[in-house]
Amino acid sequence: MAPDPFLGITAVSFDVDGTLYSDRALSAAVAAESLRCALAGHPAESLRELRRLRRFRREVELLRADRGLLPAGWRSGIARRLESETLLLLPAIRRIGPAAGVRALLNGLRVAGRIAVAVSDFESAPRIAALGLGECFDRIYAAEALGVLKPDAGVFRQAAADLRIPAGALLHLGNRPDTDGRAALAAGCRSLILGRDFPSFGELLRFIPPPTGADRTAGT
């Protein structure tokens, strides 16, 4: 990691799944929500949704391996998928909350005058809201809205163009070098991979200047 990874950076983008929250913690929480739903008298719905989530993950990885191009008609099913996520996925995300240090880093970036955006494969506003981070991002981008998945670089090019910044002024924080890292690099952006380039968000927070007295007063 560079001595100051934020040097020359105007905007910081965050991957959502596996970055803003732990995939491992989410899997356990989804299983707990499925059991709770079944015990509440909805075993068929719970099992159906659990199978759908697992099938969706397998399908996504197959599509990603095939250049990340989404089939025709994919976008027409997004609204239906978001509706189904309310049964197990969103309650599970609320249960686990954001990864340690994420909220502090987002607050620090805002005080330091950096733009924070989410750049995910999927429409993720409900997931971000479930984490309680809805007010922390200036914009939210989804690669699937462009008909692709990372490692296609289109979503990063769109973000840089919308923000009117050079691609090199965008730093992406993700958890997968094969998707986040490759896509950001292909777009000309910089990237840091959680678990490889930095161990925790708290490690990145040390590069953000602490708020001044005036900043502290404004934030209260």
Side-chain angles (χ1 to χ4, degrees), residues 20-22 25-26 29-30 33 36 82-99 103 125-133:
L20 291 184
Y21 53 81
S22 161
L26 180 64
V30 165
E33 284 298 323
R36 182 197 61 76
L82 291 176
E83 184 178 349
S84 74
E85 288 180 357
T86 61
L87 183 66
L88 297 183
L89 188 63
L90 296 185
I93 290 173
R94 279 192 289 271
R95 178 191 292 264
I96 61 175
R103 189 185 301 278
R127 304 181 190 193
I128 291 171
L131 290 169
L133 300 177

Side-chain angles (χ1 to χ4, degrees), residues 64-195:
R64 207 188 297 281
D66 186 25
R67 298 183 298 159
L69 299 178
L70 297 177
W74 178 277
R75 278 177 280 186
S76 65
I78 291 175
R80 185 169 62 253
R81 188 188 74 232
L82 291 176
E83 184 178 349
S84 74
E85 288 180 357
T86 61
L87 183 66
L88 297 183
L89 188 63
L90 296 185
I93 290 173
R94 279 192 289 271
R95 178 191 292 264
I96 61 175
V102 164
R103 189 185 301 278
L105 179 60
L106 284 164
N107 290 339
L109 290 171
R110 185 173 296 277
V111 170
R114 262 73 174 221
I115 300 167
V117 299
V119 176
S120 178
D121 280 314
F122 311 112
E123 298 288 352
S124 55
R127 304 181 190 193
I128 291 171
L131 290 169
L133 300 177
E135 301 300 318
C136 296
F137 292 98
D138 296 283
R139 301 192 186 193
I140 298 174
Y141 294 93
E144 68 176 349
L146 304 177
V148 297
L149 298 174
K150 292 179 281 186
D152 187 282
V155 68
F156 288 102
R157 295 192 181 104
Q158 181 189 33
D162 286 351
L163 298 172
R164 299 182 179 182
I165 62 173
L170 175 64
L171 171 66
H172 181 63
L173 307 180
N175 70 308
R176 291 183 57 167
D178 60 328
T179 59
D180 296 298
R182 281 181 58 193
L185 178 63
C189 305
R190 291 159 58 184
S191 70
L192 293 174
I193 302 301
L194 178 63

